[in-house]
Amino acid sequence: MSSFQEASAQPSDRILWKNLRIVPPGWQSGPIPLCDLAVEGQRIAWLGDAGGAPAGFQNAQQHDLGGALVTPGLIDCHTHLVHGGQRADEFALRLAGASYEDIARQGGGIVSSVRATRAADEDSLFQQALTRLDALRAEGVTAIEIKSGYGLDLETERKMLRVARRLGEARPVTVRTTFLGAHALPPEYTDRADDYIDLVCNTLLPTLHDEGLIDAVDVFCESIGFSLTQAERVLQAATQRGLAVKMHAEQLSLMGGAALAAQYGALSADHLEWLDEAGVQAMRHAGMVAVLLPGAYYFLRDTHLPPIDLLRRHGVPMALATDCNPGTSPATSLLLMMNMACTLFHLTVGEALDGVTRHAADALGCAGVSGRLAVGHPADFAVWDVDSPAELAYWMGLPRCRMSVRRGSIAFQSAR
């Protein structure tokens, strides 16, 4: 039986949400006062003290939340949600001592997911991804980024991106698509990485962009991925078409990918375990977001922490995401990522919550998603059955989301 039920009600023009406690940005401690929130259409029209709504909302449809805690809708800004198969056997190999790089060089890793994704039909990929998406929605997620990158050819990359678009039509969630054609070297291009980058830049990217399937472009810049020179070619091809860019950078080694991404005004650099101070400064100067992925850090049993103190010192905003993928982070819980970020990366609860709301929104780069609750902003929020914001990062596996609202309409309701 499903753990939640779909809400069928359509949004009215005006709705007054009463008696809620909105967690302020950067929350640290202390009581949170009751307030009311008025929605008109898809946006927040008024926000203030409980009982003080404008007269025009006194006769509106009303929902009394009874003092429940409310946050902006959660945002998962880095996922590989659409893929075929799983890689549990590789997990067992790593437990026996094999490294991520060893497995990748032996034909496993990303390439094994490429084989499974190429073999799966579109409907099968859709149904598998829908299950993962619904798990995220049950935890208050109202917006998500979905990357391609398990196709590495035109037909399969197109198939993955079409599935991502379908997910946003099938469920009330904002989906942003990212083309990650430069994720790994496909087997048919062994020892021909430059030729494959030619294909990515000259055929895959322009074709899929012309078909309306791409919102942003990513590249895996790493010793087992692509070099700085190859990554820059992808960034150039994307920015020439006016596409936003981001980068998988400094996960396994320091290659300077974050600093390169900064030169192209990237939205974010992601992973960042080996990021140095020069890279942090470049990201700050470019206004980038550091997307931290504690699920991959934990799953790979990494011991090299991202430079949290440097990021704080230079004022680089830190987002969190699941990195949901079959090989290094088979995670569909953004709340668990908050817990891991606090316990493993030593973030505060307030930093973790900002990381899955306002900073994640900035990493998404979508005008329709702000990760903030303020007048004029989209009416995207989550209602929680908890007493303190700290509980959002405290509980592991205990469902606490009562409902979520996206663009003014109830998008999810717990069956509890």
Side-chain angles (χ1 to χ4, degrees), residues 119-413:
D121 62 39
E122 186 171 319
D123 288 339
S124 173
L125 289 176
F126 174 78
Q127 291 300 328
Q128 292 176 60
L130 191 64
T131 299
R132 300 173 195 126
L133 178 61
D134 282 343
L136 289 163
R137 291 180 55 243
E139 289 193 345
V141 170
T142 57
I144 185 171
E145 183 239 30
I146 301 176
K147 302 179 189 292
S148 68
Y150 290 126
L152 312 184
D153 61 22
L154 181 58
E155 177 184 357
T156 316
E157 291 289 301
R158 176 188 284 133
K159 180 171 61 176
M160 293 182 69
L161 292 165
R162 279 202 307 249
V163 167
R165 291 285 196 229
R166 283 178 62 186
L167 291 168
E169 296 166 357
R171 292 291 189 265
V173 60
T174 301
V175 173
R176 298 291 284 177
T177 60
T178 297
F179 172 62
L180 183 56
H183 193 196
L185 194 62
E188 61 270 24
Y189 278 86
T190 299
D191 297 326
R192 294 192 297 135
D194 287 332
D195 291 343
Y196 179 64
I197 293 297
D198 285 343
L199 179 73
V200 168
C201 295
N202 300 329
T203 301
L204 303 187
L205 192 157
T207 300
L208 297 170
H209 181 225
D210 289 345
E211 293 175 2
L213 294 173
I214 300 176
D215 297 320
V217 174
D218 197 350
V219 55
F220 184 34
C221 183
E222 190 52 76
S223 58
I224 61 170
F226 295 94
S227 70
L228 279 174
T229 300
Q230 291 159 348
E232 184 167 21
R233 290 182 57 198
V234 176
L235 299 181
Q236 288 173 341
T239 54
Q240 285 169 4
R241 285 183 158 260
L243 285 163
V245 296
K246 50 186 66 179
M247 185 180 286
H248 284 61
E250 334 298 10
Q251 180 185 9
L252 305 173
S253 61
L254 176 60
M255 290 185 59
L260 174 64
Q263 294 178 28
Y264 286 84
L267 292 171
S268 69
D270 304 28
H271 285 290
L272 302 176
E273 282 83 351
W274 290 84
L275 181 66
D276 63 0
E277 187 163 12
V280 172
Q281 291 174 329
M283 290 180 65
R284 175 58 181 170
H285 182 73
M288 292 170 61
V289 177
V291 178
L292 307 178
L293 304 171
Y297 177 91
Y298 164 82
F299 202 73
L300 292 173
R301 297 196 290 186
D302 203 345
T303 58
H304 200 284
L305 287 166
I308 304 299
D309 288 340
L310 281 176
L311 293 167
R312 285 184 182 131
R313 187 187 314 158
H314 291 284
V316 177
M318 294 178 285
L320 300 174
T322 63
D323 192 18
C324 177
N325 76 79
T328 62
S329 188
T332 55
S333 172
L334 201 50
L335 296 181
L336 180 59
M337 298 305 105
M338 289 179 62
N339 176 280
M340 288 184 175
C342 293
T343 56
L344 300 177
F345 293 171
H346 311 295
L347 266 62
T348 67
V349 171
E351 286 174 329
L353 185 55
D354 287 349
V356 296
T357 53
R358 60 192 182 111
H359 297 326
D362 293 339
L364 209 61
C366 174
V369 177
S370 75
R372 298 158 174 83
L373 295 179
V375 173
H377 287 243
D380 294 358
F381 55 90
V383 181
W384 304 94
D385 288 324
V386 299
D387 294 323
S388 166
E391 291 186 65
L392 299 178
Y394 166 77
W395 295 110
M396 292 186 288
L398 183 65
R400 294 288 85 190
C401 183
R402 183 190 303 179
M403 71 171 65
S404 66
V405 172
R406 173 180 169 268
R407 296 181 180 175
S409 178
I410 296 175
F412 160 84
Q413 277 187 296

Side-chain angles (χ1 to χ4, degrees), residues 9-18 20 36-47 53-54 56-65 379 381 403 405-410:
Q10 296 298 312
S12 63
D13 185 53
R14 288 185 170 184
I15 301 176
L16 181 62
W17 296 85
K18 302 176 63 176
L20 53 146
D36 292 348
L37 183 152
V39 174
E40 186 163 12
Q42 298 184 2
R43 295 189 173 273
I44 297 171
W46 177 87
L47 178 62
F57 285 90
Q58 297 304 323
N59 295 322
Q61 179 183 350
Q62 297 187 8
H63 296 281
D64 192 330
L65 295 180
F381 55 90
M403 71 171 65
V405 172
R406 173 180 169 268
R407 296 181 180 175
S409 178
I410 296 175

